[in-house]
Amino acid sequence: MAQRDTAQQDGAKQALSFDVAISGASFAGLALACALTDALGPEFRIAIIDRVATAEPRPDARAFALSAASRHLLEAIGVWEQVAVDAQPVDGIDITDSALEAGVRPVLLAYDNTTEAGEAATHILPVEPLWRALRSAAAARSGITLLAPAEAKGFVAEEAGAQLTLADGREVTASLVVAADGRRSALREAAGIKVIGWSYPQTGIVTTVQHDRPHGARAVQHFLPNGPFAILPLTGNRSCITWTEDSREAKRIMALDDAGFLAEVEKRFGGKLGRVSLAGPRQSWPLELHLARRYVGPRFALVGDAAHGVHPIAGQGLNLALRDVAALTETVAESVRCGFGAGNAEGLKRYERWRRFDSAISAGTFDAINRLFGNDVTLLRSVREAGLGIVDRVPALKRFFVAEAAGLTGELPRLLKGERV
């Protein structure tokens, strides 16, 4: 991946020409660039425009729950082999639903997390190894150019192509512009695409803990009145804690010293894995839901957080983004091979039909689960316990949930099935 530093450009006003210009070196942006290059060859020119020039990742305490389908895509673009050593397969899942003060949290639903093909439906992978691997994969592809530090401020779509304007005055032309620049996407706003959504009175908290006993490759989801407390197994005797908490309570918890914060973790963790200690930084962020009203425009497409943001209750944010990547790669590749160019309107409409409904259903489902389980109403607790008990006794329902978690249901793009585009 060639890098062009803003300060080193001669003739800053000269237009740079590409087939696809991607705003944002996000996980989705980097994966899309790699997938398109692999599908269409190094002569297919791709620009990644990013505000940060450094190759060092920002500190991030999160870990991703990668579905089997997402792993297939990462295998296809040669990234999985770089991160596999850091990825912990999840062999089973236990679900509880109890009050915070409960001394014992009985498991109401337990199931194996293995697909019918015998692969783990989910792997837990820290953020940093995946970011480094995607950055390295993009750098190894000669058809990808990184324009950084740079920021896309707006664009104009014309019949012959789209023209982006960068903050430093340079211009970039491309057949297709892709916004992978996050929830506050500047290009989405420039395209006039509105979003619908709302904020939750909840805050997400994440950290890593070490425990005395092995986790046995099992994940635990404690449904507590203020939100879910997930224990996600990492390599070694470590787990990533992904915790949803009432925003006022979260502010108090985050202000505690390490001993006080650990005490709050232990109160929710349960004692099955022995003594617990902090093994990484803590991090928090406000929770919200948003969906773009449109995913495409003339010579323009949204992917990842620019298109959708969902409640993290099921850990599906990155998986939804990689579904976008797989679908857009396939539709763009088909348009180019048919001689219509990357920005072909019919190909973009197909991409939107493919992804918007699935994203909306996912967002609505995660929102409903959060609302159903995020309270301590006695009647609802009884209904929840009965429902989980029914699922626990019906193997077919368990297999369905595993297939959903693996991302292997519905009309799948080829990359998510491990096939070449």
Side-chain angles (χ1 to χ4, degrees):
M1 175 171 57
Q3 178 163 332
R4 304 191 184 194
D5 192 294
T6 302
Q8 296 177 341
Q9 293 302 302
D10 295 322
K13 296 292 184 180
Q14 183 179 359
L16 301 167
S17 180
F18 299 92
D19 294 294
V20 173
I22 301 170
S23 177
S26 61
F27 295 96
L30 291 167
L32 177 63
C34 292
L36 284 172
T37 297
D38 290 353
L40 295 168
E43 66 278 4
F44 189 80
R45 297 159 301 161
I46 299 171
I48 301 176
I49 303 162
D50 197 61
R51 288 176 295 179
V52 179
T54 178
E56 288 301 310
R58 304 177 185 90
D60 200 317
R62 296 174 300 159
F64 294 127
L66 281 173
S67 68
S70 293
R71 192 187 77 247
H72 296 163
L73 184 150
L74 295 176
E75 287 172 342
I77 63 174
V79 165
W80 184 253
E81 61 187 19
Q82 298 181 52
V83 300
V85 67
D86 296 298
Q88 170 64 53
V90 179
D91 293 339
I93 296 176
D94 298 328
I95 295 177
T96 75
D97 182 11
S98 60
L100 178 59
E101 299 79 15
V104 177
R105 295 199 174 97
V107 174
L108 301 177
L109 172 60
Y111 57 91
D112 292 334
N113 193 47
T114 304
T115 69
E116 292 186 358
E119 61 182 341
T122 313
H123 282 77
I124 309 302
L125 177 65
V127 164
E128 184 176 327
L130 181 58
W131 190 92
R132 289 186 183 278
L134 284 169
R135 188 87 175 200
S136 174
R141 288 160 167 83
S142 60
I144 300 174
T145 297
L146 175 66
L147 302 177
E151 185 175 1
K153 303 297 290 185
F155 73 99
V156 176
E158 299 173 342
E159 185 175 347
Q163 182 171 292
L164 288 96
T165 301
L166 305 187
D168 61 9
R170 283 184 294 166
E171 294 178 351
V172 174
T173 62
S175 176
L176 173 65
V177 174
V178 178
D181 50 351
R183 296 187 175 209
R184 306 289 182 262
S185 171
L187 286 188
R188 184 186 65 213
E189 184 175 339
I193 297 177
K194 303 297 184 182
V195 297
I196 57 173
W198 50 82
S199 298
Y200 292 102
Q202 296 172 312
T203 294
I205 301 174
V206 65
T207 192
T208 300
V209 297
Q210 185 95 22
H211 33 78
D212 290 340
R213 300 172 192 155
H215 46 56
R218 295 192 72 84
V220 178
Q221 182 84 295
H222 291 312
F223 282 111
L224 301 172
N226 284 346
F229 182 91
I231 304 172
L232 307 177
L234 296 171
T235 55
N237 284 6
R238 300 179 305 135
S239 292
C240 177
I241 303 301
T242 302
W243 174 4
T244 298
E245 185 57 75
D246 172 81
S247 292
R248 288 172 296 181
E249 178 68 357
K251 185 176 181 180
R252 180 192 70 82
I253 291 170
M254 290 298 292
L256 296 171
D257 60 16
D258 282 353
F261 180 77
L262 179 60
E264 294 291 342
V265 171
E266 290 177 321
K267 187 189 300 185
R268 295 158 175 81
F269 195 91
K272 290 184 178 180
L273 300 181
R275 192 174 66 88
V276 175
S277 59
L278 295 179
R282 65 181 100 159
Q283 192 172 327
S284 68
W285 67 97
L287 300 183
E288 65 176 41
L289 178 150
H290 74 268
L291 286 170
R293 291 185 178 273
R294 294 184 289 114
Y295 279 20
V296 302
R299 299 192 175 279
F300 182 69
L302 301 173
V303 298
D305 286 349
H308 43 70
V310 301
H311 194 283
I313 193 167
Q316 293 298 304
L318 179 61
N319 293 322
L320 290 175
L322 293 181
R323 290 191 198 186
D324 297 343
V325 168
L328 187 57
T329 298
E330 193 161 320
T331 54
V332 167
E334 289 176 355
S335 293
V336 171
R337 288 167 182 160
C338 290
F340 296 119
N344 175 45
E346 290 304 314
L348 294 179
K349 288 178 183 177
R350 183 187 172 211
Y351 164 70
E352 182 175 55
R353 289 194 301 269
W354 208 342
R355 292 300 307 132
R356 192 169 185 276
F357 179 75
D358 174 64
S359 299
I361 291 296
S362 296
T365 299
F366 305 150
D367 178 73
I369 293 173
N370 178 58
R371 294 178 189 276
L372 176 63
F373 283 88
N375 63 74
D376 204 23
V377 177
T378 302
L379 178 59
L380 280 178
R381 181 178 296 282
S382 298
V383 171
R384 295 193 307 251
E385 290 180 1
L388 290 172
I390 291 171
V391 174
D392 196 42
R393 292 189 292 272
V394 181
L397 282 176
K398 291 184 180 181
R399 289 194 296 271
F400 171 77
F401 289 137
V402 170
E404 282 289 315
L408 299 176
T409 59
E411 183 188 358
L412 292 181
R414 290 197 288 270
L415 282 174
L416 299 185
K417 294 184 286 187
E419 301 173 1
R420 295 182 62 86
V421 175

PDB file of all heavy atoms in Angstrom, residues 88 210-220 231 233-239 269 271-275:
ATOM      1  N   GLN A  88      -9.604 -16.801  20.353  1.00  0.00           N
ATOM      2  CA  GLN A  88     -10.068 -17.879  21.223  1.00  0.00           C
ATOM      3  C   GLN A  88     -11.413 -18.402  20.708  1.00  0.00           C
ATOM      4  O   GLN A  88     -12.406 -17.668  20.701  1.00  0.00           O
ATOM      5  CB  GLN A  88     -10.232 -17.369  22.656  1.00  0.00           C
ATOM      6  CG  GLN A  88     -10.938 -18.339  23.599  1.00  0.00           C
ATOM      7  CD  GLN A  88     -10.162 -19.627  23.812  1.00  0.00           C
ATOM      8  OE1 GLN A  88      -8.984 -19.593  24.169  1.00  0.00           O
ATOM      9  NE2 GLN A  88     -10.819 -20.759  23.616  1.00  0.00           N
ATOM     10  N   GLN A 210      -7.945 -11.393  34.476  1.00  0.00           N
ATOM     11  CA  GLN A 210      -7.263 -12.674  34.623  1.00  0.00           C
ATOM     12  C   GLN A 210      -7.993 -13.443  35.721  1.00  0.00           C
ATOM     13  O   GLN A 210      -8.457 -12.853  36.700  1.00  0.00           O
ATOM     14  CB  GLN A 210      -5.801 -12.443  35.039  1.00  0.00           C
ATOM     15  CG  GLN A 210      -4.949 -13.687  35.102  1.00  0.00           C
ATOM     16  CD  GLN A 210      -4.165 -13.926  33.825  1.00  0.00           C
ATOM     17  OE1 GLN A 210      -3.936 -13.005  33.061  1.00  0.00           O
ATOM     18  NE2 GLN A 210      -3.777 -15.171  33.611  1.00  0.00           N
ATOM     19  N   HIS A 211      -8.129 -14.776  35.566  1.00  0.00           N
ATOM     20  CA  HIS A 211      -8.784 -15.563  36.610  1.00  0.00           C
ATOM     21  C   HIS A 211      -7.975 -16.816  36.887  1.00  0.00           C
ATOM     22  O   HIS A 211      -7.216 -17.293  36.033  1.00  0.00           O
ATOM     23  CB  HIS A 211     -10.228 -15.905  36.223  1.00  0.00           C
ATOM     24  CG  HIS A 211     -10.456 -16.102  34.750  1.00  0.00           C
ATOM     25  ND1 HIS A 211     -10.101 -17.261  34.085  1.00  0.00           N
ATOM     26  CD2 HIS A 211     -10.991 -15.275  33.821  1.00  0.00           C
ATOM     27  CE1 HIS A 211     -10.426 -17.138  32.803  1.00  0.00           C
ATOM     28  NE2 HIS A 211     -10.951 -15.947  32.606  1.00  0.00           N
ATOM     29  N   ASP A 212      -8.135 -17.358  38.087  1.00  0.00           N
ATOM     30  CA  ASP A 212      -7.325 -18.499  38.527  1.00  0.00           C
ATOM     31  C   ASP A 212      -7.610 -19.752  37.721  1.00  0.00           C
ATOM     32  O   ASP A 212      -6.690 -20.520  37.405  1.00  0.00           O
ATOM     33  CB  ASP A 212      -7.580 -18.787  40.009  1.00  0.00           C
ATOM     34  CG  ASP A 212      -6.998 -17.710  40.919  1.00  0.00           C
ATOM     35  OD1 ASP A 212      -6.109 -16.974  40.455  1.00  0.00           O
ATOM     36  OD2 ASP A 212      -7.437 -17.616  42.078  1.00  0.00           O
ATOM     37  N   ARG A 213      -8.873 -19.994  37.402  1.00  0.00           N
ATOM     38  CA  ARG A 213      -9.256 -21.247  36.755  1.00  0.00           C
ATOM     39  C   ARG A 213      -9.482 -21.044  35.265  1.00  0.00           C
ATOM     40  O   ARG A 213      -9.866 -19.955  34.830  1.00  0.00           O
ATOM     41  CB  ARG A 213     -10.531 -21.794  37.399  1.00  0.00           C
ATOM     42  CG  ARG A 213     -10.390 -22.074  38.875  1.00  0.00           C
ATOM     43  CD  ARG A 213     -11.724 -22.423  39.498  1.00  0.00           C
ATOM     44  NE  ARG A 213     -11.648 -22.414  40.954  1.00  0.00           N
ATOM     45  CZ  ARG A 213     -12.681 -22.205  41.758  1.00  0.00           C
ATOM     46  NH1 ARG A 213     -13.882 -22.003  41.245  1.00  0.00           N
ATOM     47  NH2 ARG A 213     -12.519 -22.209  43.074  1.00  0.00           N
ATOM     48  N   PRO A 214      -9.275 -22.085  34.468  1.00  0.00           N
ATOM     49  CA  PRO A 214      -9.507 -21.962  33.015  1.00  0.00           C
ATOM     50  C   PRO A 214     -10.992 -21.788  32.715  1.00  0.00           C
ATOM     51  O   PRO A 214     -11.859 -22.347  33.394  1.00  0.00           O
ATOM     52  CB  PRO A 214      -8.969 -23.280  32.457  1.00  0.00           C
ATOM     53  CG  PRO A 214      -8.971 -24.228  33.611  1.00  0.00           C
ATOM     54  CD  PRO A 214      -8.743 -23.411  34.837  1.00  0.00           C
ATOM     55  N   HIS A 215     -11.267 -21.027  31.666  1.00  0.00           N
ATOM     56  CA  HIS A 215     -12.658 -20.763  31.295  1.00  0.00           C
ATOM     57  C   HIS A 215     -13.277 -21.891  30.481  1.00  0.00           C
ATOM     58  O   HIS A 215     -14.492 -21.907  30.262  1.00  0.00           O
ATOM     59  CB  HIS A 215     -12.777 -19.453  30.522  1.00  0.00           C
ATOM     60  CG  HIS A 215     -11.759 -19.274  29.436  1.00  0.00           C
ATOM     61  ND1 HIS A 215     -11.583 -20.172  28.405  1.00  0.00           N
ATOM     62  CD2 HIS A 215     -10.843 -18.288  29.222  1.00  0.00           C
ATOM     63  CE1 HIS A 215     -10.630 -19.758  27.601  1.00  0.00           C
ATOM     64  NE2 HIS A 215     -10.146 -18.623  28.074  1.00  0.00           N
ATOM     65  N   GLY A 216     -12.460 -22.831  30.036  1.00  0.00           N
ATOM     66  CA  GLY A 216     -12.995 -23.951  29.278  1.00  0.00           C
ATOM     67  C   GLY A 216     -13.602 -23.560  27.945  1.00  0.00           C
ATOM     68  O   GLY A 216     -14.435 -24.285  27.395  1.00  0.00           O
ATOM     69  N   ALA A 217     -13.197 -22.410  27.411  1.00  0.00           N
ATOM     70  CA  ALA A 217     -13.675 -21.919  26.113  1.00  0.00           C
ATOM     71  C   ALA A 217     -15.189 -21.661  26.109  1.00  0.00           C
ATOM     72  O   ALA A 217     -15.819 -21.689  25.057  1.00  0.00           O
ATOM     73  CB  ALA A 217     -13.301 -22.882  24.982  1.00  0.00           C
ATOM     74  N   ARG A 218     -15.741 -21.377  27.293  1.00  0.00           N
ATOM     75  CA  ARG A 218     -17.165 -21.067  27.385  1.00  0.00           C
ATOM     76  C   ARG A 218     -17.369 -19.588  27.670  1.00  0.00           C
ATOM     77  O   ARG A 218     -16.679 -19.002  28.510  1.00  0.00           O
ATOM     78  CB  ARG A 218     -17.857 -21.885  28.479  1.00  0.00           C
ATOM     79  CG  ARG A 218     -17.871 -23.386  28.200  1.00  0.00           C
ATOM     80  CD  ARG A 218     -18.799 -24.126  29.139  1.00  0.00           C
ATOM     81  NE  ARG A 218     -20.216 -23.883  28.836  1.00  0.00           N
ATOM     82  CZ  ARG A 218     -20.895 -24.549  27.909  1.00  0.00           C
ATOM     83  NH1 ARG A 218     -20.291 -25.472  27.154  1.00  0.00           N
ATOM     84  NH2 ARG A 218     -22.172 -24.305  27.718  1.00  0.00           N
ATOM     85  N   ALA A 219     -18.312 -18.993  26.957  1.00  0.00           N
ATOM     86  CA  ALA A 219     -18.726 -17.611  27.203  1.00  0.00           C
ATOM     87  C   ALA A 219     -19.927 -17.626  28.134  1.00  0.00           C
ATOM     88  O   ALA A 219     -20.717 -18.578  28.145  1.00  0.00           O
ATOM     89  CB  ALA A 219     -19.085 -16.921  25.892  1.00  0.00           C
ATOM     90  N   VAL A 220     -20.067 -16.569  28.923  1.00  0.00           N
ATOM     91  CA  VAL A 220     -21.190 -16.444  29.853  1.00  0.00           C
ATOM     92  C   VAL A 220     -21.869 -15.105  29.609  1.00  0.00           C
ATOM     93  O   VAL A 220     -21.203 -14.074  29.490  1.00  0.00           O
ATOM     94  CB  VAL A 220     -20.723 -16.537  31.328  1.00  0.00           C
ATOM     95  CG1 VAL A 220     -21.902 -16.351  32.274  1.00  0.00           C
ATOM     96  CG2 VAL A 220     -20.024 -17.862  31.588  1.00  0.00           C
ATOM     97  N   ILE A 231     -19.054 -12.368  29.740  1.00  0.00           N
ATOM     98  CA  ILE A 231     -17.697 -12.835  30.014  1.00  0.00           C
ATOM     99  C   ILE A 231     -17.255 -13.617  28.781  1.00  0.00           C
ATOM    100  O   ILE A 231     -17.734 -14.714  28.515  1.00  0.00           O
ATOM    101  CB  ILE A 231     -17.663 -13.730  31.266  1.00  0.00           C
ATOM    102  CG1 ILE A 231     -18.240 -12.984  32.471  1.00  0.00           C
ATOM    103  CG2 ILE A 231     -16.239 -14.200  31.551  1.00  0.00           C
ATOM    104  CD1 ILE A 231     -18.425 -13.863  33.697  1.00  0.00           C
ATOM    105  N   PRO A 233     -14.341 -15.469  26.625  1.00  0.00           N
ATOM    106  CA  PRO A 233     -13.033 -16.096  26.845  1.00  0.00           C
ATOM    107  C   PRO A 233     -11.975 -15.604  25.864  1.00  0.00           C
ATOM    108  O   PRO A 233     -12.226 -15.488  24.663  1.00  0.00           O
ATOM    109  CB  PRO A 233     -13.319 -17.583  26.643  1.00  0.00           C
ATOM    110  CG  PRO A 233     -14.506 -17.626  25.719  1.00  0.00           C
ATOM    111  CD  PRO A 233     -15.333 -16.434  26.101  1.00  0.00           C
ATOM    112  N   LEU A 234     -10.798 -15.316  26.403  1.00  0.00           N
ATOM    113  CA  LEU A 234      -9.621 -14.970  25.605  1.00  0.00           C
ATOM    114  C   LEU A 234      -8.589 -16.083  25.767  1.00  0.00           C
ATOM    115  O   LEU A 234      -8.749 -16.985  26.590  1.00  0.00           O
ATOM    116  CB  LEU A 234      -9.040 -13.638  26.067  1.00  0.00           C
ATOM    117  CG  LEU A 234      -9.909 -12.394  25.891  1.00  0.00           C
ATOM    118  CD1 LEU A 234      -9.278 -11.200  26.602  1.00  0.00           C
ATOM    119  CD2 LEU A 234     -10.122 -12.084  24.417  1.00  0.00           C
ATOM    120  N   THR A 235      -7.531 -16.034  24.990  1.00  0.00           N
ATOM    121  CA  THR A 235      -6.464 -17.018  25.132  1.00  0.00           C
ATOM    122  C   THR A 235      -5.853 -16.923  26.533  1.00  0.00           C
ATOM    123  O   THR A 235      -5.767 -15.833  27.108  1.00  0.00           O
ATOM    124  CB  THR A 235      -5.381 -16.796  24.070  1.00  0.00           C
ATOM    125  OG1 THR A 235      -4.908 -15.443  24.159  1.00  0.00           O
ATOM    126  CG2 THR A 235      -5.922 -17.045  22.672  1.00  0.00           C
ATOM    127  N   GLY A 236      -5.436 -18.066  27.067  1.00  0.00           N
ATOM    128  CA  GLY A 236      -4.938 -18.089  28.428  1.00  0.00           C
ATOM    129  C   GLY A 236      -6.093 -18.006  29.418  1.00  0.00           C
ATOM    130  O   GLY A 236      -7.261 -18.078  29.050  1.00  0.00           O
ATOM    131  N   ASN A 237      -5.761 -17.851  30.692  1.00  0.00           N
ATOM    132  CA  ASN A 237      -6.799 -17.707  31.719  1.00  0.00           C
ATOM    133  C   ASN A 237      -7.249 -16.253  31.809  1.00  0.00           C
ATOM    134  O   ASN A 237      -7.159 -15.605  32.858  1.00  0.00           O
ATOM    135  CB  ASN A 237      -6.278 -18.191  33.079  1.00  0.00           C
ATOM    136  CG  ASN A 237      -6.244 -19.704  33.164  1.00  0.00           C
ATOM    137  OD1 ASN A 237      -6.502 -20.396  32.181  1.00  0.00           O
ATOM    138  ND2 ASN A 237      -5.923 -20.227  34.330  1.00  0.00           N
ATOM    139  N   ARG A 238      -7.732 -15.750  30.687  1.00  0.00           N
ATOM    140  CA  ARG A 238      -8.191 -14.358  30.622  1.00  0.00           C
ATOM    141  C   ARG A 238      -9.571 -14.311  29.982  1.00  0.00           C
ATOM    142  O   ARG A 238      -9.935 -15.186  29.183  1.00  0.00           O
ATOM    143  CB  ARG A 238      -7.233 -13.496  29.798  1.00  0.00           C
ATOM    144  CG  ARG A 238      -5.807 -13.421  30.313  1.00  0.00           C
ATOM    145  CD  ARG A 238      -4.952 -12.555  29.402  1.00  0.00           C
ATOM    146  NE  ARG A 238      -5.015 -13.041  28.024  1.00  0.00           N
ATOM    147  CZ  ARG A 238      -5.189 -12.255  26.941  1.00  0.00           C
ATOM    148  NH1 ARG A 238      -5.332 -10.948  27.091  1.00  0.00           N
ATOM    149  NH2 ARG A 238      -5.225 -12.776  25.733  1.00  0.00           N
ATOM    150  N   SER A 239     -10.303 -13.252  30.305  1.00  0.00           N
ATOM    151  CA  SER A 239     -11.605 -13.021  29.678  1.00  0.00           C
ATOM    152  C   SER A 239     -11.788 -11.525  29.459  1.00  0.00           C
ATOM    153  O   SER A 239     -11.292 -10.703  30.238  1.00  0.00           O
ATOM    154  CB  SER A 239     -12.744 -13.542  30.561  1.00  0.00           C
ATOM    155  OG  SER A 239     -12.723 -14.952  30.653  1.00  0.00           O
ATOM    156  N   PHE A 269     -19.384 -10.928  38.339  1.00  0.00           N
ATOM    157  CA  PHE A 269     -18.672 -11.981  37.622  1.00  0.00           C
ATOM    158  C   PHE A 269     -19.111 -13.384  38.026  1.00  0.00           C
ATOM    159  O   PHE A 269     -19.231 -14.279  37.184  1.00  0.00           O
ATOM    160  CB  PHE A 269     -17.158 -11.825  37.865  1.00  0.00           C
ATOM    161  CG  PHE A 269     -16.294 -12.605  36.918  1.00  0.00           C
ATOM    162  CD1 PHE A 269     -15.850 -12.037  35.735  1.00  0.00           C
ATOM    163  CD2 PHE A 269     -15.914 -13.903  37.222  1.00  0.00           C
ATOM    164  CE1 PHE A 269     -15.039 -12.751  34.859  1.00  0.00           C
ATOM    165  CE2 PHE A 269     -15.111 -14.628  36.357  1.00  0.00           C
ATOM    166  CZ  PHE A 269     -14.680 -14.048  35.167  1.00  0.00           C
ATOM    167  N   GLY A 271     -18.301 -16.673  40.971  1.00  0.00           N
ATOM    168  CA  GLY A 271     -17.061 -17.237  41.491  1.00  0.00           C
ATOM    169  C   GLY A 271     -16.570 -18.493  40.820  1.00  0.00           C
ATOM    170  O   GLY A 271     -15.638 -19.127  41.312  1.00  0.00           O
ATOM    171  N   LYS A 272     -17.136 -18.863  39.668  1.00  0.00           N
ATOM    172  CA  LYS A 272     -16.783 -20.151  39.064  1.00  0.00           C
ATOM    173  C   LYS A 272     -15.330 -20.238  38.603  1.00  0.00           C
ATOM    174  O   LYS A 272     -14.761 -21.322  38.519  1.00  0.00           O
ATOM    175  CB  LYS A 272     -17.698 -20.431  37.874  1.00  0.00           C
ATOM    176  CG  LYS A 272     -19.135 -20.728  38.264  1.00  0.00           C
ATOM    177  CD  LYS A 272     -19.970 -21.089  37.048  1.00  0.00           C
ATOM    178  CE  LYS A 272     -21.391 -21.446  37.442  1.00  0.00           C
ATOM    179  NZ  LYS A 272     -22.212 -21.789  36.257  1.00  0.00           N
ATOM    180  N   LEU A 273     -14.726 -19.089  38.275  1.00  0.00           N
ATOM    181  CA  LEU A 273     -13.369 -19.110  37.728  1.00  0.00           C
ATOM    182  C   LEU A 273     -12.320 -18.692  38.750  1.00  0.00           C
ATOM    183  O   LEU A 273     -11.176 -18.400  38.399  1.00  0.00           O
ATOM    184  CB  LEU A 273     -13.284 -18.217  36.488  1.00  0.00           C
ATOM    185  CG  LEU A 273     -14.205 -18.621  35.334  1.00  0.00           C
ATOM    186  CD1 LEU A 273     -14.019 -17.689  34.143  1.00  0.00           C
ATOM    187  CD2 LEU A 273     -13.954 -20.066  34.912  1.00  0.00           C
ATOM    188  N   GLY A 274     -12.706 -18.680  40.037  1.00  0.00           N
ATOM    189  CA  GLY A 274     -11.751 -18.361  41.088  1.00  0.00           C
ATOM    190  C   GLY A 274     -11.492 -16.872  41.220  1.00  0.00           C
ATOM    191  O   GLY A 274     -12.292 -16.037  40.801  1.00  0.00           O
ATOM    192  N   ARG A 275     -10.330 -16.546  41.794  1.00  0.00           N
ATOM    193  CA  ARG A 275      -9.992 -15.153  42.045  1.00  0.00           C
ATOM    194  C   ARG A 275      -9.774 -14.417  40.725  1.00  0.00           C
ATOM    195  O   ARG A 275      -9.163 -14.942  39.797  1.00  0.00           O
ATOM    196  CB  ARG A 275      -8.725 -15.060  42.906  1.00  0.00           C
ATOM    197  CG  ARG A 275      -8.451 -13.659  43.461  1.00  0.00           C
ATOM    198  CD  ARG A 275      -7.266 -13.703  44.408  1.00  0.00           C
ATOM    199  NE  ARG A 275      -6.048 -14.030  43.686  1.00  0.00           N
ATOM    200  CZ  ARG A 275      -5.259 -13.123  43.095  1.00  0.00           C
ATOM    201  NH1 ARG A 275      -5.595 -11.844  43.112  1.00  0.00           N
ATOM    202  NH2 ARG A 275      -4.164 -13.504  42.479  1.00  0.00           N
TER     203      ARG A 275
END
